[in-house]
Structure formats: structure tokens, C-alpha cells
Amino acid sequence: MPKTKFFSAIACAFTCCFFPLPAPDARAAAPKLSEQRQHFRNAINEIEHGAADAWKPYIVDLGDYPLLPYIDLALLERNRGQPTLAQVQTFIKRWPETLAARDLRESALRRYATASDWPSFRALWNDSSSADLRCAWQRARIAAGEKPDYAGDIAALWLQPRPTPDSCDPLFAWARQNGVLTDVEIWKRIEAAAEAANPGTVAAIARLLDGEDKASAQRIADAVRDPGNVLAKATGWSDTPRNRDAISYGLLRYARRDSSAAETLWTSLEGRFAWDPPQKNRILNAIAVYRSTSFEDDALARLKALPAEAEDDSSREWRVRVALAAQDWNETLAALDAMSDEQKADARWRYLRARILSKLGRDAEAAPLFAAVATEANFHGFLAADWIGAPYAICPTAVVASKPDEAAVAAQPDLARAFEFHALGDLTRARREWNFALPKLTPEQRRLAADAAYRNDWFDRAIFLLSSSDDTLTYYEQRFPLAQKSRVTRVARDVGIDPAWSYGIIRAESAWMSDARSHADAYGLMQLLPSVAQKVARATKLSYSRPSDLFDPALNIQLGTIFLGQMADQYQGSPWLASAAYNAGGAPVGRWLAARGNLEPDFFIETIPYKETREYVARVLAFSVIYDWRLNTTVVPLVARLPKIGQPYQAPKDSTQRKAVVCPAPAADSTNSSAASPPNG
């Protein structure tokens, strides 16, 4: 928007509330972008904290600045003001299709819904993805005499296992009272919430029922919340379908906590009730799977004894792992044979099939499987390539753009605001503008936007966007940035670890999101716990005083890499075991080593009980290979990063044997006699 039009518009709109804005000086030279940024900061600060007119001098040169809507918004909301309906409508008209306008609209809608001001709500309504506003819209329709129907208006809001916003409760109560929400639909949601182990949702829904139905629903909630104590009394329950549901859902949760106790309880209850097949299968599956995750002696027998209708992908996978842990190759192969077609197509299970066939001396069958998996650029593909002595197949794709797409991305105002907020260091608003822009872009334009983010050192946006679909995974430069290269390589070598491994940890932990903070309260690029950071900083005399310091990439990399080196020292330098401990902690890794420390590394990794850690170790090691390639063009074989348990390991040196990376991948020789031989290293 030209400067003069902007100032005229904003002055006209706010004459009732604000002083008119001064006209810009046409003779003034256009300020540099850095000056505009400072003017923007100053203007926002003065609007929020300064005197009435103190902000005016700073905006005279901001007529073409991307974040101009936010000055307008700050003026409208200054002093915690509540804009009138007319002011909100004027703002939306001035800044249509912007995130600022959407935010202002939704803020006003929530205010009107709280006050039950449905005429104002309807005047501002525009479709929203927010469940609370969608519920409020249906309430506005009801207030106007309309009757929402279940299938078109309520089902999408109702049928979810997670708790719905409180603002939806009046809508559901109306739907229940008016016959729109039936018993069938209520119980459908209760069952979904119980299976998802969400007792709070079950209890909330129970309030919509009466009499025995209400009591039955509450019993299900109690059984899921506290299965040990509640189900101990179940021997005295009457044999009703709802009581059996309570027991089955409770045992599902109990087995996850304590499979042995759940098994004992099931033994006492099995003969007392006339179980429906789904109820019994739910129980049998849960006990079998969770006894498998702790590798109980009877786990394999239980998994094999499951009725076909009680099996699922999880039970089939754990049958493989339990047999693998026992090093029973015939049982492992039988378990692989029993997998679904979709599972069999996964590189993980194709690789394991080849390994097990090799263990059984069936090398001719193993070789073509290794060769096929070796064409994939992932953990199992790299391992398969090592087994047959093939180079790694990493085929990078360059971003190529058409002129129209380039022009469209360059002119996209939401992206411009996203990049400007990023430049200002306001990462939360930057990401919100980015996410707001993406649905407006074609797939080709999204790739260009991701590349632009990468070129502007906004690495996490490029990584997340290009990792979200199979057809963008080969943009390796953008997905695996060599950010902070001198610091990462220097600190890694100082502590005696491979820089490629340190890069792999950063990439797996935060995807280069410098302000990442986990539910476990881990901070920054390498997701350090404050207690760990404090301990490392104290030992190394690095400056660290508060958790937010860990959002500084330089400090985070320094402390995190030192800690990673300390973890490696605990496991004789082994990067794969240290990676497992970095994710899960040393105590669980110690238990797993005590139980299955005789397994070969790739088999041990597959038997890690924690899904997150199992996949984390594979991901870090695959990322380490890719970063090694990015740093050196040739790579240390992945198998060399997998020393046997108890075998000392040293970071690669200049003399370390490396292997080639090729594209396209050559057709591997499936008759190669080395296919079933252990790789070197």
C-alpha cells in the first residue's frame, strides 16, 4: 500500500479514537530496512508504553514496511482496549486476508460469544478452524432460531477423543436435549476416549447421560483413571456389556503400567464374564504387547496365541522383536512372514528379513533384498549397502523455479511478514505468519519458500516443510543445513567426537529451532535440561545463569556438545549407545544392556523397548551419515558407527576408511558372495 493511501486510511479510521497521523515527508529519502525495523520497534513500544502521541514520529517512513498492519493493530488494542464492532470491521476491510485481521476477528468473536452477543458474533463470523469458535457459531445459529443437524454441524466437533473446549458444552447440552445427540453417538465417543486412555473426557461426557447409563460411563472413566484399585472390585460387578467395557478399557491402561499385575487380574476375571470378542481381544492384545515390551518369558507364546482378529501392527512388530531378542532366527522369520503387506514393504522389515535369511544361511535369498534396500537413503538402506559393499545412494535435488512462481513467492505479503518477524527475532510471530502463508502457496511455491527460509538462516522452517512429504525428501542442502559450521566442528573435535554425529543430534533434537522447548523442559538446539546445562557449565567454567540462556545457539552447542562427549565416554565412545542414553537416559540403557547386551548392534537397536528411542537412534545415525557426506563428500560407513557392545570406538580420523556416495544408485550385484558376510568395522 502506498504511503499516502495508508496514512489517509488510518487517519480516517481512527479520528474518533486517536489523533490523525501526520502526512509523510515526500522529500525524505527512503530509510534503509534496518532503520525501518528500528522505527517499527520504537513505534510499537511507544504505542504500548509511551505517551499518547509518542509513536507518531516513528511511522512516517513505514508506508511500505511489511509489518504495518501490526502498528494499526497495536493502536486499536492499546491500553487493553476492546475495539467496537465497527472498528474491527474497518480493520478487516483495510487488511483483508491477513493474520492480524484473523486474530482481531477471532479475539472479538470470543468476546461476543462469552457475552452471548450473538448478533455481533454473526456480523463478524467467518469460518474458523478453532473448535471453540465453531461451537460458538452453532450456538449463534440456535439463538437465531436455526436447528443444527448432527451429521453436518455437530459430528466433527463431537467425535474426538480429546477434551473439547468448555464453550462447546452448551452446544452439546442443547443437542442432547433436542434429540440431535443420541445415545449411540454419546457411547461412540465414550468408547473412543476410553480407548485413547482419556478418562477426563469420558467423565465429562457421562454428565450427558442419566441413571444407570451415567453410572456405567463414570465407571469406565474410573477404571481408565485408576485401574488397579477400581478393577480390584470388579469381581463383584454384574455381568453387563458396559461393565465388561470398563474392565477391558481399564486393563488396556493397566497393562501399559504393569503387565504382570494386569495378567493376574485378568486371570481372576476372565471366567466371571461373558466377554464379547472385541472386549476380549482388546485385553489379550494389550497384555501380550505390554509383556513383550518388557521381554517377559511368556511374551512370544502370548503373541503367537493371539486370535487373528486380536492382532494388529503393534503385536506383529513385537513378535518380531521378542524372537529377535531370543536370537531365534526361525521364529523371527516366521514373525516377519506374519506381518501385513504394508509392514513388509517398510525398509526396516525388509532389511531385517535379509539379515535373518543370512543368519539361516539363505544368502541367495538375502542378497537381492539387501540390494533393493540399499538404494534407499535411510538408516536401513545405509546398513544394507554396507552388507553388500555398495556405495550409498544419496541423490540430491536442486530447487528449480519458474519465473511466475518466483514472482508469486516474492510478492506474497504473509511470507514477507514472516521473514521480517524472523529478522526481528520474534520467532513466535514469524512462525505464525509462515503457517498462515503456506495454504496460499502451490507445492512448487512452498519449495521456493522453504529455500528462501534456508537462505535466510531460518533453517527449521525449511526442514519441517521439506520433510513433510516423500517428494521433497531429497532436498538435502535445505533439510540438513551446515549451520554454525565452524563452531560445531571445533567443539566436537575438542571433545573427541565426530562433528557429523553432533550435527545429527542437533538435527534430530530440534531441527535447528533455536527456541525449541520440550514437554520435559529441555531447551534449545540440543535440547538440554537446565540441570544438565548447569552441571556442564560449572565444570567447564562457561557462563550460564538461567534456562533461557540455552536459546542462544552458541552456548547451547558448546554445552550440548561437551555433554554429548561425556555421554560417549560412558559407553567407550560408542555413538549409537550414547545417542540412546542422550534420549532415554543412562538407567534404561543400562537395563537394556544387562538384558540383551549380547545382541549385535542393529538387532539391539530394534529391540529397544521405547519407540521414541528406537527411532531416535536410527534417525541420528542416518542423519550422521548425511551430514558426513555434506561435510566431506565421502562418508564413514554406518556400520563403523555401530561398534559392538563393549568394543571401544574412536571418532573418525583423516586415515579412517571412507566410502563413496553415488547418484543414481548402481544396480547392486545380488549374486555378490559378500552379501551375507558381516561388514567390516
Side-chain angles (χ1 to χ4, degrees), residues 259-260 263 287-304 318-319 322-323 325-326 328 331 595-596:
S259 64
S260 294
E263 159 67 12
I287 292 174
V289 167
Y290 289 112
R291 288 188 75 71
S292 300
T293 62
S294 53
F295 295 91
E296 301 292 344
D297 291 341
D298 64 345
L300 183 60
R302 285 190 170 278
L303 289 166
K304 290 175 66 176
W318 277 102
R319 181 178 168 187
V322 171
D328 187 331
E331 283 288 0
R596 294 178 295 284

Side-chain angles (χ1 to χ4, degrees), residues 18 38 72 80 125 157 181 191 233 244 247 307 323 332 414 473 482 493 524 560 584 633:
F18 305 109
Q38 189 57 52
D72 200 349
R80 299 185 179 180
W125 173 249
L157 295 165
L181 191 58
E191 290 165 4
K233 307 169 187 176
R244 295 196 298 270
I247 295 170
T332 305
D414 305 305
L473 296 181
L482 292 172
R493 287 169 179 156
T633 69

Side-chain angles (χ1 to χ4, degrees), residues 227-479:
N229 289 326
V230 173
L231 297 186
K233 307 169 187 176
T235 53
W237 294 357
S238 58
D239 186 3
T240 67
R242 299 303 182 197
N243 282 344
R244 295 196 298 270
D245 275 341
I247 295 170
S248 66
Y249 289 124
L251 281 173
L252 180 65
R253 183 68 174 267
Y254 202 25
R256 185 179 303 168
R257 297 179 184 175
D258 187 338
S259 64
S260 294
E263 159 67 12
T264 300
L265 186 57
W266 170 238
T267 300
S268 70
L269 296 173
E270 182 179 8
R272 292 177 176 268
F273 295 86
W275 303 97
D276 296 334
Q279 295 167 336
K280 187 170 185 177
N281 290 337
R282 187 184 299 132
I283 297 167
L284 294 175
N285 176 283
I287 292 174
V289 167
Y290 289 112
R291 288 188 75 71
S292 300
T293 62
S294 53
F295 295 91
E296 301 292 344
D297 291 341
D298 64 345
L300 183 60
R302 285 190 170 278
L303 289 166
K304 290 175 66 176
L306 283 177
E309 58 272 18
E311 294 180 338
D312 58 13
D313 283 354
S314 180
S315 67
R316 287 185 282 266
E317 288 184 9
W318 277 102
R319 181 178 168 187
V320 173
R321 293 189 183 103
V322 171
L324 191 63
Q327 301 185 66
D328 187 331
W329 312 132
N330 285 307
E331 283 288 0
T332 305
L333 187 60
L336 288 164
D337 287 338
M339 286 186 145
S340 68
D341 290 342
E342 184 177 358
Q343 288 174 299
K344 290 177 182 178
D346 188 270
R348 175 196 306 270
W349 308 117
R350 289 186 289 133
Y351 168 79
L352 279 175
R353 173 177 289 277
R355 285 281 278 125
I356 299 306
L357 288 171
S358 295
K359 287 290 186 182
L360 293 171
R362 295 160 62 174
D363 297 342
E365 296 173 70
L369 291 175
F370 278 131
V373 178
T375 63
E376 301 182 26
N378 54 44
F379 175 70
H380 296 97
F382 296 147
L383 283 179
D386 288 342
W387 275 94
I388 61 176
Y392 291 157
I394 303 177
C395 295
T397 299
V399 175
V400 179
S402 67
K403 292 295 183 183
D405 282 336
E406 285 183 341
V409 171
Q412 220 293 329
D414 305 305
L415 280 181
R417 284 186 281 272
F419 282 114
E420 193 56 27
F421 272 130
H422 179 258
L424 290 170
D426 191 338
L427 300 183
T428 299
R429 280 183 166 177
R431 284 191 287 268
R432 294 190 71 239
E433 285 283 3
W434 173 272
N435 294 337
F436 186 75
L438 288 185
K440 303 177 182 181
L441 305 178
T442 67
E444 292 74 17
Q445 291 166 358
R446 291 186 185 192
R447 295 176 192 183
L448 282 180
D451 186 58
Y454 167 72
R455 304 292 169 190
N456 283 277
D457 295 344
W458 197 6
F459 303 118
D460 58 278
R461 294 304 93 184
I463 290 169
F464 289 131
L465 183 54
L466 296 176
S467 300
S468 61
S469 63
D470 290 343
D471 62 344
T472 58
L473 296 181
T474 54
Y475 291 95
Y476 292 108
E477 179 184 358
Q478 292 81 4
R479 291 182 60 235

Side-chain angles (χ1 to χ4, degrees), residues 571-572 574 576-577 592-594 596-601 604-605 642-648:
Y571 298 96
Q572 297 178 280
S574 174
W576 69 272
L577 277 172
W592 305 335
L593 287 171
R596 294 178 295 284
N598 61 332
L599 292 178
E600 295 171 64
F604 184 96
I605 291 169
L642 290 170
K644 292 181 179 179
I645 295 168
Q647 175 181 318

Side-chain angles (χ1 to χ4, degrees), residues 471-638:
D471 62 344
T472 58
L473 296 181
T474 54
Y475 291 95
Y476 292 108
E477 179 184 358
Q478 292 81 4
R479 291 182 60 235
F480 296 92
L482 292 172
Q484 301 278 336
K485 183 177 178 181
S486 61
R487 177 172 286 106
V488 172
T489 54
R490 174 180 55 79
V491 180
R493 287 169 179 156
D494 286 348
V495 301
I497 64 175
D498 185 2
W501 179 38
S502 185
Y503 264 121
I505 291 286
I506 294 171
R507 177 63 170 75
E509 286 288 346
S510 67
W512 289 99
M513 185 184 293
S514 62
D515 62 338
R517 183 177 177 182
S518 74
H519 294 300
D521 210 31
Y523 287 72
L525 292 179
M526 299 186 76
Q527 288 291 275
L528 288 174
L529 293 171
S531 58
V532 170
Q534 187 175 55
K535 184 177 180 180
V536 174
R538 187 181 296 120
T540 55
K541 295 182 171 54
L542 289 170
S543 177
Y544 168 77
S545 57
R546 61 183 67 86
S548 59
D549 291 347
L550 297 174
F551 291 143
D552 174 18
L555 179 63
N556 196 286
I557 289 171
Q558 187 88 10
L559 294 174
T561 305
I562 292 171
F563 178 61
L564 191 60
Q566 294 172 351
M567 297 293 292
D569 290 343
Q570 295 180 32
Y571 298 96
Q572 297 178 280
S574 174
W576 69 272
L577 277 172
S579 295
Y582 194 93
N583 177 263
V589 172
R591 294 195 301 269
W592 305 335
L593 287 171
R596 294 178 295 284
N598 61 332
L599 292 178
E600 295 171 64
D602 55 344
F603 291 167
F604 184 96
I605 291 169
E606 190 52 50
T607 61
I608 290 175
Y610 299 172
K611 182 177 187 291
E612 178 187 335
T613 304
R614 188 167 62 243
E615 295 182 351
Y616 177 87
V617 173
R619 189 163 60 250
V620 166
L621 292 172
F623 290 173
S624 299
V625 169
I626 294 171
Y627 267 113
D628 196 9
W629 164 68
R630 293 270 287 128
L631 288 163
N632 302 297
T633 69
T634 57
V635 299
V636 174
L638 176 54

